[in-house]
Amino acid sequence: MESIYIYIAILIYIVLGTGVAYVSRQGLGQGMTDFFLANRSVGGIVGALTYSATTYSAFMMVGLAGLTYKGGVGAMGFELIYLSGLVLVAFFGPRFWLVGKKYNFVTPAEMLGYRYDSNVLAVVVAISYCVFLIPYSAVQLMGVGYLMSGMSGGSIDFMTGVVIATLLAITWSWMAGLRSVAWTDSLQSLVMIIAATLVVVVVVGKGLGGFGNMFNTLETEYPQWLVVPGPGLFSFKTFLGLSLPWFFFSITNPQVSQRLFVPKSMKSMRFTVMGFVIFGFIYTLISIIWGFAAKILLPNLANADLATATLLVLPIVPKALALIVMVGITAAAISTIDSILLTLSSVISRDIYGNFKEGQSEERQLYFGKIVIPIIALLAMLFARMQFDLIAILSVASSAGLLVTVPTIFGAFFWKKGTAAGSIISILGGGLVSIYLQFSGLKPLGHWPGVWALIVALALYVIGSYLTRPPQEKAGEFLSYLSSALKEKGAL
Amino acid sequence: MDNCDNTKDENQNRGEERMSDRALRWALFFVILIISAITVPFIFLQSTFKIYGAFLFWLLFAVIAIISVGFITNSWRD
């Protein structure tokens, strides 16, 4: 496709998005709660859309479709296991929300630091977020780079797409913090799902003779793609290694767990959760069917990550629709990156800067946070230049790293004897195991880094907690407040 | 009066237990559901090369998870 069409489509998207971000500035107040949490006043519809846009990224129509192309139905299994991870929000959502309001927490790291009575823990958690989420942001930037380069047949350079995505993410998170992020996310999530649905209907209808025919073709020509392990990618251990980090995503990844602080009411939170799971279910199915369609129409691609870009330039896809889908995928990536930028900025200013330079005013912390946004974005951009082979694997590697915070988060709400020391060694030990295994490529007994990192983190958390004294007063106060407040709100 | 208060306390305690039991029951249900999602297609559906095999199983699994979250969040109130 001619690059001029791509540039025009992106320009329209930039103008629309920036317009929405500008409008969202109205009502922007002072302080960190306002900038990073939209003053805890996000309604159900915007909540569901921003949660969806933040969670679902370029990975879906590029990486997940690529995994389906390469490995078959196992990709659907692991993505739906991720979606079912929202059951955790049924337990943790009200807890985060209630303590967030009572103690005015801005970040999940701050919450854990308070519960365990340790600023050091808050700093450690904050650093682990930075270490693992910057690569994750880079993956999203790479998604945009691949897409634009693939669709233009290489006339748009990979790095051009990456730079456009970086600049947009910086601008939209800067303009009004979570307000501009949430409102642009809402617009973007609608573009994402409408464009993806339309193109799947067109491709399956025109290219494959309808859904029935497509499934028949899969059963007769690609039967291995309908089972696991299937064509080979999804061995049980690979499946477990991919699914485990994703299942806990909703509580371990701060760009989404921080969203649990922002609903204006329990009713809004319910709408957010239910809206998200329905959105996620539809978007997952669409991405999987897209991957299957690519397998049937383009069976011999050398690189599965290029399936989407190649499929979009086939003659059966109208040019205008292909452009809208490209914008939809770009939107999916940018809506994830700007949320991560905002969350990391809040964590660095509140939990790292705020703890190292005690006595800083909130204004000063916020000022520092705003400076940090472009710096993180540039780091992610540098990481994107490294261009690993398979987007999905790298994306999961970041989640595997954050999996080590699971014992600390569970313990914060369900185990009074958990201690800061146990948490710190658990996160550091588990994190180091995850990084070591990721970089060395080792898979002891065939299991993926996330599995080992979680086992090590859990063991260290329990041992460390038994060997040290729990913060009885803080933990008691925190948990007894929750016990009564949860009952009052009818939550589990 | 004391009797009345005691009865109220007991009811409240029973209520707490019920609440806790409810949470545990849901947690157990989800553990079983997730374990089945990870294992069933690998054990029982390895040779079902049909759309009604692993594809349908995971679809139903997700629908059950979504409906369950709907049930749990239905009792949330402001």
Side-chain angles (χ1 to χ4, degrees):
Chain A
M1 186 182 289
E2 296 88 334
S3 51
I4 184 73
Y5 292 120
I6 297 176
Y7 282 125
I8 291 171
I10 291 292
L11 189 67
I12 294 170
Y13 161 66
I14 292 173
V15 170
L16 278 176
T18 308
V20 168
Y22 184 78
V23 171
S24 76
R25 286 168 59 94
Q26 286 175 353
L28 176 67
Q30 300 289 316
M32 296 184 95
T33 306
D34 209 291
F35 190 78
F36 291 119
L37 302 181
N39 207 26
R40 301 181 203 275
S41 61
V42 176
I45 296 174
V46 172
L49 293 175
T50 183
Y51 197 104
S52 304
T54 299
T55 298
Y56 292 121
S57 56
F59 169 73
M60 294 297 280
M61 287 290 280
V62 181
L64 186 65
L67 278 181
T68 311
Y69 182 95
K70 204 174 172 187
V73 73
M76 174 178 163
F78 109 80
E79 188 62 30
L80 288 178
I81 287 174
Y82 159 66
L83 184 68
S84 75
L86 260 283
V87 301
L88 293 170
V89 173
F91 290 85
F92 286 90
R95 286 171 169 79
F96 273 63
W97 185 73
L98 285 165
V99 295
K101 268 173 78 119
K102 179 170 169 66
Y103 301 107
N104 197 29
F105 297 137
V106 174
T107 75
E110 184 185 6
M111 177 187 76
L112 294 172
Y114 179 89
R115 155 63 181 84
Y116 288 97
D117 198 15
S118 166
N119 290 343
V120 178
L121 173 62
V123 172
V124 168
V125 173
I127 291 172
S128 74
Y129 289 159
C130 296
V131 168
F132 292 112
L133 282 179
I134 292 173
Y136 187 76
S137 309
V139 170
Q140 308 308 322
L141 295 174
M142 287 161 66
V144 180
Y146 276 135
L147 186 70
M148 288 194 191
S149 154
M151 279 192 67
S152 64
S155 68
I156 297 180
D157 181 45
F158 170 83
M159 277 311 287
T160 306
V162 170
V163 171
I164 290 173
T166 308
L167 291 177
L168 274 183
I170 293 172
T171 310
W172 291 350
S173 48
W174 235 352
M175 284 181 79
L178 186 63
R179 284 173 205 274
S180 47
V181 166
W183 278 93
T184 51
D185 274 3
S186 300
L187 171 73
Q188 294 183 100
S189 60
L190 293 174
V191 175
M192 281 156 62
I193 200 152
I194 292 171
T197 308
L198 280 178
V199 78
V200 164
V201 169
V202 167
V203 165
V204 174
K206 278 168 69 174
L208 299 170
F211 288 95
N213 275 344
M214 186 190 91
F215 290 136
N216 282 338
T217 310
L218 281 173
E219 287 182 354
T220 51
E221 291 178 31
Y222 301 99
Q224 286 292 330
W225 268 252
L226 291 173
V227 294
V228 277
L233 180 64
F234 287 106
S235 71
F236 178 73
K237 286 172 181 173
T238 302
F239 185 80
L240 184 67
L242 284 166
S243 304
L244 198 63
W246 285 80
F247 178 74
F248 290 101
F249 188 95
S250 62
I251 56 167
T252 57
N253 277 55
Q255 74 276 22
V256 286
S257 67
Q258 193 178 36
R259 292 286 200 277
L260 301 176
F261 291 141
V262 306
K264 68 177 173 192
S265 63
M266 287 291 283
K267 196 177 160 196
S268 299
M269 184 184 278
R270 177 169 200 253
F271 201 100
T272 297
V273 173
M274 293 313 294
F276 167 73
V277 286
I278 292 166
F279 185 107
F281 184 68
I282 296 169
Y283 201 41
T284 300
L285 280 185
I286 287 170
S287 304
I288 297 293
I289 290 172
W290 182 246
F292 279 139
K295 185 68 206 170
I296 296 170
L297 289 167
L298 308 160
N300 299 314
L301 287 176
N303 183 352
D305 280 338
L306 290 177
T308 292
T310 318
L311 200 54
L312 282 177
V313 292
L314 289 182
I316 51 169
V317 182
K319 202 175 272 184
L321 182 57
L323 284 169
I324 295 170
V325 175
M326 185 207 68
V327 170
I329 298 171
T330 307
I334 291 170
S335 58
T336 300
I337 304 163
D338 60 9
S339 296
I340 293 178
L341 282 184
L342 196 65
T343 296
L344 289 184
S345 150
S346 70
V347 159
I348 291 170
S349 55
R350 185 89 166 179
D351 300 308
I352 299 178
Y353 179 71
N355 278 321
F356 277 113
K357 292 206 77 160
E358 280 186 36
Q360 293 293 319
S361 68
E362 194 168 304
E363 274 174 355
R364 185 79 196 155
Q365 285 183 24
L366 181 57
Y367 175 74
F368 184 78
K370 287 181 182 173
I371 293 174
V372 162
I373 290 175
I375 297 172
I376 307 166
L378 289 174
L379 271 176
M381 200 170 87
L382 286 177
F383 203 88
R385 284 195 65 167
M386 293 164 75
Q387 290 192 49
F388 286 91
D389 279 346
L390 204 61
I391 283 182
I393 306 296
L394 188 56
S395 176
V396 170
S398 333
S399 288
L402 289 176
L403 196 60
V404 301
T405 58
V406 166
T408 299
I409 296 168
F410 267 78
F413 296 105
F414 298 106
W415 196 43
K416 214 171 173 178
K417 289 180 180 167
T419 70
S423 299
I424 291 166
I425 59 164
S426 156
I427 292 168
L428 291 178
L432 287 174
V433 166
S434 171
I435 291 171
Y436 173 71
L437 292 178
Q438 202 63 51
F439 280 90
S440 65
L442 289 176
K443 288 179 184 163
L445 301 175
H447 282 293
W448 282 45
V451 176
W452 291 111
L454 183 60
I455 292 171
V456 169
L458 181 62
L460 290 175
Y461 177 72
V462 173
I463 295 167
S465 293
Y466 271 122
L467 293 177
T468 47
R469 275 170 62 90
Q472 284 176 336
E473 201 178 317
K474 269 279 170 70
E477 173 221 335
F478 187 91
L479 293 174
S480 70
Y481 162 69
L482 269 179
S483 173
S484 57
L486 285 168
K487 247 172 259 160
E488 194 186 309
K489 300 291 180 191
L492 287 176
Chain B
M1 189 65 187
D2 275 355
N3 279 343
C4 185
D5 280 351
N6 285 342
T7 314
K8 198 177 161 188
D9 282 350
E10 279 168 22
N11 283 340
Q12 215 166 23
N13 286 338
R14 275 204 294 274
E16 281 171 24
E17 279 166 25
R18 271 201 296 276
M19 199 67 187
S20 167
D21 282 351
R22 184 175 164 238
L24 279 175
R25 272 200 304 275
W26 275 114
L28 187 65
F29 169 75
F30 284 128
V31 168
I32 294 168
L33 187 70
I34 304 299
I35 290 175
S36 73
I38 295 172
T39 54
V40 168
F42 282 91
I43 298 171
F44 300 109
L45 301 172
Q46 264 192 357
S47 313
T48 311
F49 300 99
K50 296 284 178 189
I51 210 74
Y52 55 74
F55 186 93
L56 184 64
F57 174 81
W58 273 318
L59 210 66
L60 290 175
F61 151 75
V63 170
I64 291 170
I66 291 170
I67 292 172
S68 307
V69 173
F71 271 119
I72 293 173
T73 57
N74 194 34
S75 63
W76 291 0
R77 56 182 176 261
D78 286 300

